[in-house]
């Protein structure tokens, strides 16, 4: 009963039903730049407190941040999506609230992976930045409508003498969007005032411009989270620094800037738009159909001014538009409490100084991880930043864990490199230095040995940031553990080897038939040589010279048979075939020598012709010889029908482009029209043939990066078999 009364009092937040069950409804806030960037940080905090007031205790907020939106439009959605999926698991949030246009666009891009059934309430985006999100079902947009003309009209009303307007703006995509919009909208004031857009300058450069502007200048402070030097500035700290040095009155666009040094005017109503959004959130959480909720864009606020700034620049309150409210009014207590006032002035001065100092210190302290923080850490990325002047490395805890370094110890590149195995250090250091010199992103992969001796693989991406001069002032980046990936790569490599081995064993199964073929040749040679030797010995006077030659041939043929067996054995073992530079001419000649008896007995004449300076090829000598023997044997068999004097095999070799081409041409029966069928397994026209020799030869050639094909002879009958192999340069000496 109590709760009901309270709920009614607060404007009917029916979500309390859930709270009764003890489960608060979850609202996921997706920040565009990080939680602390203007103006969205205020939109978010107002929204949070407004919704908290409407639904006390029944809503739980979860924050996620896009971070990357302030960089060069790089859409790094993946880490955040992974993070969100991990955080919410099976139980999605009850409402998705992107804060600002970049976050809204993120939701639009990833709607189907981002809890597609959960309603979206896009907050803190302007009418001009309306993204196609609104066309999607389940989406409500709580927008604002910044009248850019109104901003300029206000300046000219309050400071009618204005001749120059200096506009400070950032360079993030969103900031550039607004710079363009302002340029366009304010074109019509050309002639009356001169515009100076300072986007692209660093904060320091902007400070020096506004510190000495020409007479009748004003400064307009736009959105600036990242300056032209790529440095990020949280909240309104850039504004505070600029106002502190500016020698011209300051104007701004957002309620969040009032009180920090701008004069005022009609401003972006952060609180009001957050209030409206919170009311819509209540309705959505209550289960109301998003299509039924239409919100009007909230216009700029009624005019509001800072009394202190009006005084400072001598602006009379009578010059302000009707309906203006003046804030920060300090009564003139000078006469009555002079001492107090002086003290207060000092305190105020100190306070301002202190605020500037605190903001700066805070920025510095957070710089290293502000850039990447949430999304990075959530997916196991460690964040680091190295000062190139002091060589000091600041790193997130996660990063120190990756490298097995103490949370408190002072880090330098040298200290970190101690963790890297000695043999990788030099290469790593060189890669880092090169990346820094070129000022580009670089990626390095290396190992790290932890205290307990375990090794892990790390991938680091870094980027150098230039300082004022041409030198690199600092580098920053992320690191991640890729040990698992490396392990899988190694495993895959091993599997690939095993597959290759299996393939070899399988083809050896096929090879057994033709192995007989291969071994028959040297064995036959041995036999006939031995028989000839015996005949010679039976003679009364043995011709020792001839006997020596015969025995020499036997030894050669035996070696050959032995090599075939060795090669087959090595083929059966896992591992790559031997690869060495092979001299084609010598290879063919050796084959000719090995087959001499065979060729002689068959009445076949072997002719050879080699181009001069033939480059070597890379390959396994024995395998290439096996291919040639096979082709020569086939040629011999194809010429059986020919007269003895017509049985000629011509082997030629030429270099062509990057290849060496060998052609084996016979004068046999020739080939059928479909020459490809010869290479199919079990195609044979021989009584005792197996029909696998050519297939195996082709496989061997392919494993050498070469080819094997056949053509019919252009004139006369016969076949030509062509081999091509990649040449090894330089030419064989
Ligand atoms: P096999 O010699 O056991 O038959 P191959 O695969 O080596 O197996 O050859 C397949 C077929 O290709 C042979 O049976 C033959 O018909 C044909 N062939 C191969 N080389 C020649 C050639 N030089 N001339 C004519 N036909 C050939």
């Amino acid at each position: 009963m109590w709760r009901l009364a309270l709920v009614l009092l607060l404007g009917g937040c029916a979500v309390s039903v859930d709270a009764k069950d003890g489960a608060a409804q979850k609202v996921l806030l997706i920040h565009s730049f990080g939680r602390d960037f203007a103006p969205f940080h205020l939109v978010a905090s107002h929204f949070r407190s407004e919704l908290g007031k409407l639904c006390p205790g029944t809503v739980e907020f979860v924050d996620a941040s896009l971070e990357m939106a302030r960089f060069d439009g790089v859409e790094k959605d993946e880490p955040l999506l992974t993070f969100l999926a991990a955080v919410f698991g099976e139980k999605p949030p009850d409402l998705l609230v992107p804060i600002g246009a970049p976050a809204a666009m993120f939701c639009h891009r990833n709607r189907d992976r981002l809890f597609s059934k959960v309603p979206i309430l896009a907050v803190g985006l302007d009418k001009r930045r309306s993204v196609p999100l609104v066309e999607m079902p389940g989406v409500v947009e709580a927008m604002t409508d910044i009248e850019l003309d109104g901003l300029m009209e206000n300046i000219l009303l309050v400071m009618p003498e204005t001749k120059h307007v200096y506009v400070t703006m950032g360079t993030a995509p969103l900031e550039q969007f607004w710079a363009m919009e302002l340029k366009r909208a304010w074109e019509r004031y050309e002639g009356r005032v001169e515009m100076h857009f300072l986007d692209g300058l660093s904060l320091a450069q902007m400070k020096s411009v506004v510190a000495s502007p020409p007479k009748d200048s004003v400064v307009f402070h736009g959105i600036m989270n990242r300056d032209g030097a790529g440095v990020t500035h949280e909240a309104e700290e850039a504004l505070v620094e600029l106002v502190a040095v500016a020698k011209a009155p300051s104007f701004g666009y957002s309620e969040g800037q009032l009180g920090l040094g701008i004069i005022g005017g009609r401003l972006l109503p952060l609180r009001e738009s957050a209030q409206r959004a919170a009311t819509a959130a209540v309705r959505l959480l209550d289960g109301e159909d998003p299509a039924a909720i239409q919100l009007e864009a909230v216009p700029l606020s009624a005019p509001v001014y800072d009394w202190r700034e009006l005084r400072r620049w001598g602006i009379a309150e009578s010059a302000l538009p009707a309906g203006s409210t003046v804030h920060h009014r300090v009564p003139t207590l000078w006469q009555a409490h002079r001492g107090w006032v002086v003290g207060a002035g000092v305190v105020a001065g100190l306070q301002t100084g202190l605020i500037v100092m605190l903001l700066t210190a805070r920025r510095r302290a957070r710089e290293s991880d502000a850039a990447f923080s949430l999304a990075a850490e959530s997916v196991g990325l460690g964040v680091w930043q190295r000062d190139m002047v002091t060589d000091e490395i600041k790193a997130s805890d996660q990063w120190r864990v990756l490298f097995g370094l103490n949370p408190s110890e002072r880090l330098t590149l040298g200290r970190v490199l101690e963790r890297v195995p000695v043999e990788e250090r030099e290469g790593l250091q060189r890669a880092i230095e090169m990346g820094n010199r070129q000022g580009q992103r670089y990626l390095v992969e290396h190992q790290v040995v932890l205290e307990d001796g375990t090794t892990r693989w790390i991938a680091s991406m870094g980027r150098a940031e230039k300082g004022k001069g041409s030198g690199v002032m600092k580098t920053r980046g992320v690191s991640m553990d890729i040990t698992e990936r490396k392990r899988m790569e190694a495993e895959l490599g091993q599997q690939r080897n095993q597959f290759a081995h299996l393939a070899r064993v399988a083809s050896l199964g096929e090879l057994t038939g033709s192995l007989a073929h291969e071994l028959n040749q040297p064995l036959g040679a041995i036999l006939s040589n031995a028989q000839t030797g015996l005949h010679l010995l039976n003679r009364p006077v043995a011709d020792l010279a001839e006997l020596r030659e015969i025995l020499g041939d036997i030894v050669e043929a035996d070696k050959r048979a032995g090599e075939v067996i060795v090669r087959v054995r090595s083929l059966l073992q896992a591992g790559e075939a031997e690869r060495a530079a092979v001299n084609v001419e010598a290879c063919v000649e050796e084959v000719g020598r090995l087959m001499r008896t065979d060729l002689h007995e068959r009445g076949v004449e072997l002719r050879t012709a080699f181009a001069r300076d033939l480059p070597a090829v890379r390959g396994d000598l024995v395998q290439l010889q096996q291919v040639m023997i096979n082709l020569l044997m086939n040629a011999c068999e194809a010429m059986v029908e020919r007269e003895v004097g017509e049985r000629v095999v011509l082997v030629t070799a030429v270099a062509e482009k990057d290849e060496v081409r060998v052609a084996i041409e016979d004068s046999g029966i020739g080939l059928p029209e479909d020459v490809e069928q010869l290479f199919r397994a079990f195609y044979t026209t021989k009584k005792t043939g197996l029909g696998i020799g050519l297939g195996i030869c082709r496989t061997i050639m392919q494993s050498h990066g070469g080819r094997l094909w056949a053509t019919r002879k252009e004139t006369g009958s016969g076949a030509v078999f062509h081999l091509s192999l990649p040449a090894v340069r330089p030419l064989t000496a």
Side-chain angles (χ1 to χ4, degrees):
M1 193 61 213
W2 246 115
R3 172 165 287 283
L4 186 65
L6 190 68
V7 161
L8 288 173
L9 203 70
L10 289 169
C13 181
V15 294
S16 54
V17 174
D18 257 85
K20 260 186 212 154
D21 308 337
Q25 286 188 292
K26 281 204 174 71
V27 175
L28 170 59
L29 299 180
I30 302 179
H31 302 272
S32 282
F33 289 90
R35 277 186 62 164
D36 298 317
F37 290 88
F40 306 120
H41 65 315
L42 292 177
V43 179
S45 68
H46 287 325
F47 175 77
R48 197 191 288 265
S49 62
E50 292 299 328
L51 186 56
K53 270 191 247 163
L54 291 176
C55 311
T58 60
V59 174
E60 191 183 312
F61 294 97
V62 181
D63 290 277
S65 151
L66 225 56
E67 297 284 353
M68 295 295 175
R70 63 177 183 274
F71 296 109
D72 308 309
V74 193
E75 286 159 11
K76 294 262 191 280
D77 293 355
E78 210 50 49
L80 185 53
L81 289 170
T82 317
F83 167 72
L84 293 176
V87 167
F88 289 97
E90 293 297 299
K91 177 115 186 49
D94 299 280
L95 180 64
L96 232 74
V97 183
I99 312 271
M105 284 188 229
F106 167 79
C107 293
H108 178 249
R109 279 197 301 277
N110 300 296
R111 182 56 169 139
D112 46 345
R113 289 182 60 195
L114 205 60
F115 321 113
S116 53
K117 301 229 166 24
V118 177
I120 292 181
L121 174 64
V123 178
L125 67 164
D126 191 74
K127 236 167 90 173
R128 287 171 189 74
R129 288 290 286 178
S130 171
V131 287
L133 187 67
V134 75
E135 290 147 25
M136 293 186 145
V139 178
V140 175
E141 281 188 320
M143 288 188 294
T144 52
D145 181 7
I146 306 179
E147 304 133 61
L148 302 179
D149 278 0
L151 296 173
M152 180 56 85
E153 292 298 337
N154 172 59
I155 294 174
L156 297 176
L157 182 83
V158 180
M159 304 287 296
E161 303 299 313
T162 302
K163 300 266 180 320
H164 300 273
V165 177
Y166 288 87
V167 184
T168 65
M169 272 279 177
T171 51
L174 177 78
E175 295 160 346
Q176 282 298 295
F177 168 83
W178 282 110
M180 293 297 294
E181 286 292 307
L182 275 184
K183 280 177 196 168
R184 215 180 19 234
W186 288 355
E187 237 168 36
R188 66 194 195 87
Y189 296 94
E190 248 173 47
R192 182 165 172 197
V193 285
E194 210 174 302
M195 306 288 175
H196 307 270
F197 280 84
L198 305 184
D199 53 323
L201 298 190
S202 67
L203 179 58
Q205 288 168 326
M206 287 186 203
K207 275 160 80 174
S208 77
V209 173
V210 300
S212 54
K215 201 170 161 282
D216 298 326
S217 294
V218 301
V219 185
F220 176 84
H221 299 274
I223 171 169
M224 190 161 80
N225 290 317
R226 189 184 67 165
D227 68 21
V231 179
T232 51
H233 305 278
E234 289 177 18
E236 293 290 2
E237 60 187 52
L239 170 81
V240 173
E241 286 190 39
L242 284 163
V243 166
V245 297
K247 293 283 183 302
S250 289
F251 289 85
Y253 71 99
S254 138
E255 235 173 51
Q257 297 172 313
L258 194 75
L260 296 176
I262 65 163
I263 288 175
R266 296 186 57 208
L267 301 171
L268 184 66
L270 301 176
R271 186 174 288 280
E272 194 193 338
S273 56
Q275 264 164 357
R276 289 212 203 169
T279 321
V282 171
R283 292 168 66 184
L284 288 168
L285 286 171
D286 195 17
E288 199 171 325
D289 179 8
I293 305 176
Q294 297 289 334
L295 300 181
E296 283 204 5
V298 185
L300 289 178
S301 68
V304 277
Y305 293 91
D306 186 329
W307 184 84
R308 295 162 305 182
E309 298 305 317
L310 295 175
R311 289 285 297 241
R312 182 174 169 205
W313 299 103
I315 301 163
E317 282 189 42
S318 57
L320 303 180
S324 296
T325 315
V326 178
H327 292 272
H328 307 290
R329 203 181 280 280
V330 182
T332 28
L333 300 173
W334 179 250
Q335 293 87 4
H337 305 285
R338 185 185 162 133
W340 279 106
V341 173
V342 171
V346 172
V347 170
L350 280 175
Q351 233 169 16
T352 314
L354 202 63
I355 288 171
V356 173
M357 267 170 58
L358 283 174
L359 282 171
T360 313
R362 181 161 156 261
R363 186 188 81 216
R364 293 223 173 99
R366 300 187 58 171
E367 222 163 21
S368 67
D369 52 5
F372 305 103
S373 64
L374 188 59
E377 300 280 333
S378 68
V379 288
L381 292 174
V383 183
W384 54 268
Q385 175 182 296
R386 179 176 166 217
D387 186 321
M388 299 301 281
V389 181
T390 61
D391 187 30
E392 194 176 347
I393 295 175
K394 284 182 189 161
S396 65
D397 291 346
Q398 181 120 348
W399 192 87
R400 285 172 182 264
V401 170
L402 283 179
F403 282 75
L405 295 160
N406 282 334
S408 55
E409 73 178 296
R410 187 177 180 273
L411 297 181
T412 58
L413 182 61
R415 171 74 186 108
V416 175
L417 283 174
E418 281 170 22
R419 282 270 179 247
V420 177
V422 186
E423 59 278 12
E424 290 182 37
R425 270 180 217 165
E426 208 188 310
L428 178 61
Q429 205 165 357
R430 212 173 321 122
I432 293 173
E433 275 164 17
M434 200 149 83
N436 289 346
R437 248 200 319 275
Q438 293 170 345
Q440 291 166 347
R441 274 179 202 195
Y442 60 88
L443 183 69
V444 287
E445 289 185 2
H446 58 88
Q447 296 187 77
V448 161
V449 183
L450 304 183
E451 214 104 79
D452 61 1
T454 51
T455 308
R456 74 166 53 127
W457 275 94
I458 303 284
S460 296
M461 202 215 281
R463 189 169 61 178
E465 285 175 12
K466 291 243 179 324
K468 278 183 195 151
S470 56
V472 168
M473 291 302 286
K474 60 182 159 187
T475 57
R476 56 161 99 203
V478 290
S479 303
M480 74 187 291
D481 187 338
I482 53 162
T483 313
E484 185 58 15
R485 195 192 88 199
K486 285 282 180 190
R487 193 189 58 75
M488 280 167 70
E489 276 174 9
E491 210 168 82
L492 272 178
Q494 216 176 345
Q495 278 173 4
R496 210 169 29 233
N497 258 350
Q498 281 165 0
F499 272 126
H501 174 54
L502 282 179
R504 269 197 305 277
V505 172
S507 67
L508 273 172
E510 294 170 15
L511 197 67
T512 40
S514 67
L515 259 185
H517 205 60
E518 304 273 356
L519 284 175
N520 263 344
Q521 190 270 333
L523 288 177
I526 289 170
L527 183 65
S528 62
N529 275 317
Q531 281 167 342
T532 319
L534 278 177
H535 279 302
L536 286 178
L537 284 174
N538 285 338
R539 284 188 193 159
V541 185
D543 181 342
L544 285 182
E546 203 171 341
L547 256 180
R548 195 171 294 120
E549 201 180 314
I550 286 174
L551 286 175
D553 283 351
I554 290 178
V555 171
E556 278 292 310
D558 182 76
K559 265 203 229 154
R560 169 82 203 135
E563 273 169 17
V564 169
I565 291 165
V566 167
R567 184 54 60 216
V568 167
R569 194 181 294 145
S570 71
L571 273 173
L572 273 166
Q573 286 159 1
E576 298 297 319
E578 260 174 44
R579 289 280 185 271
V582 174
N583 180 328
V584 177
E585 190 174 333
C587 172
V588 174
E589 267 166 8
E590 203 197 329
V591 168
R593 231 166 347 107
L594 291 171
M595 291 184 69
R596 196 177 56 186
T597 320
D598 237 303
L599 296 171
H600 182 69
E601 278 177 0
R602 291 163 186 263
V604 173
E605 186 191 343
L606 176 66
R607 292 185 197 158
T608 52
F610 302 103
R612 290 184 59 208
D613 296 333
L614 208 55
V617 294
R618 180 161 296 280
D620 182 305
L621 179 67
V622 177
Q623 283 189 4
L624 293 179
Q625 285 177 346
Q626 283 171 342
V627 171
M628 284 185 203
I629 290 173
N630 216 308
L631 296 177
L632 282 175
M633 291 300 276
N634 277 347
C636 292
E637 283 162 5
M639 295 188 293
V640 184
E641 309 284 310
R642 292 274 172 270
E643 293 295 315
V644 171
E646 291 169 3
R647 297 177 192 169
V648 180
V649 183
L650 173 63
V651 181
T652 56
V654 290
E656 223 179 274
K657 288 189 191 143
D658 295 334
E659 293 179 340
V660 172
R661 287 200 176 178
V662 179
I664 297 163
E665 187 180 320
D666 63 51
S667 50
I669 47 170
L671 300 176
E673 216 166 285
D674 175 13
V675 289
E676 271 307 295
Q677 64 183 317
L678 309 188
F679 295 91
R680 278 178 215 136
F682 311 121
Y683 175 87
T684 180
T685 52
K686 298 169 196 166
K687 268 196 202 133
T688 54
L690 285 168
I692 56 170
L694 287 178
I696 290 172
C697 288
R698 183 174 263 182
T699 311
I700 291 177
M701 292 308 295
Q702 284 167 345
S703 75
H704 280 74
R707 286 170 297 146
L708 166 65
W709 71 104
T711 53
R712 290 165 15 132
K713 214 154 122 179
E714 279 166 22
T715 51
S717 74
V720 190
F721 282 81
H722 308 265
L723 304 171
S724 83
L725 285 161
V728 180
R729 301 281 169 184
L731 299 179
T732 43

